[in-house]
Amino acid sequence: MNAPRICWHASYENVFLALLTWWNGATFGTLLWTALYGEFVGEDEFGNRYYRTRGGKIDPALGFERRWVIYNGAAEASAVPPSWHGWLHHTVDVPPTQEEVTPRPWWKPHRPNLTGTPGAYRPIGSTLAQGRRPKATGDYRAWDPDR
């Protein structure tokens, strides 16, 4: 059995965070579920580890096996490579560790989610777009509830 990595330092703060938060890595419940019912499938280039129900057992509520990822660090769904994304979402049946995956031309390298940071996308017209707003064109009419 390939149990999930549990990286707890000797501080109570880290144990407390692991018990109560999901964005700092897997929760204690997820690690316990994975140890009891999970089967290690593989690891990607970012250190994310992928699991499925032991033996490929079909979940009667879903009608297919459960598949999940334990992120290496913060829970960042965009850090799942396209090859693993297809397996996680049952688009392909065979994980990338068991067959050669040919990268597609449209696959892009990972970029972290920059929402809430200075690097976030701000479209033209946004009040946060560095003070640049397009000139008014005169085609706007304010809403009037009596019209």
Side-chain angles (χ1 to χ4, degrees):
M1 178 166 85
N2 211 342
R5 286 189 224 141
I6 300 176
C7 299
W8 287 342
H9 301 281
S11 84
Y12 292 111
E13 180 180 318
N14 289 339
V15 172
F16 183 72
L17 285 173
L19 287 172
L20 300 175
T21 62
W22 56 265
W23 55 88
N24 291 318
T27 62
F28 177 74
T30 301
L31 294 173
L32 182 62
W33 172 268
T34 301
L36 293 174
Y37 303 107
E39 174 183 332
F40 178 74
V41 176
E43 186 172 328
D44 67 21
E45 62 266 26
F46 301 115
N48 300 323
R49 296 171 57 90
Y50 298 87
Y51 296 88
R52 67 177 177 191
T53 47
R54 191 168 291 137
K57 183 180 174 195
I58 305 298
D59 186 321
L62 299 174
F64 49 82
E65 72 181 8
R66 288 182 183 263
R67 298 174 180 174
W68 65 96
V69 59
I70 294 184
Y71 297 101
N72 179 24
E76 173 69 49
S78 68
V80 172
S83 55
W84 280 104
H85 182 273
W87 179 79
L88 273 175
H89 293 276
H90 299 273
T91 303
V92 295
D93 292 327
V94 181
T97 54
Q98 293 180 3
E99 72 177 8
E100 184 67 30
V101 177
T102 305
R104 307 286 191 233
W106 61 86
W107 289 2
K108 303 291 181 198
H110 174 256
R111 289 184 6 195
N113 182 349
L114 299 175
T115 302
T117 71
Y121 172 70
R122 293 182 169 90
I124 295 173
S126 166
T127 57
L128 299 175
Q130 301 172 354
R132 294 172 293 152
R133 291 187 52 89
K135 293 201 180 276
T137 60
D139 62 347
Y140 174 77
R141 272 191 8 207
W143 179 73
D144 183 356
D146 296 328
R147 274 194 253 175

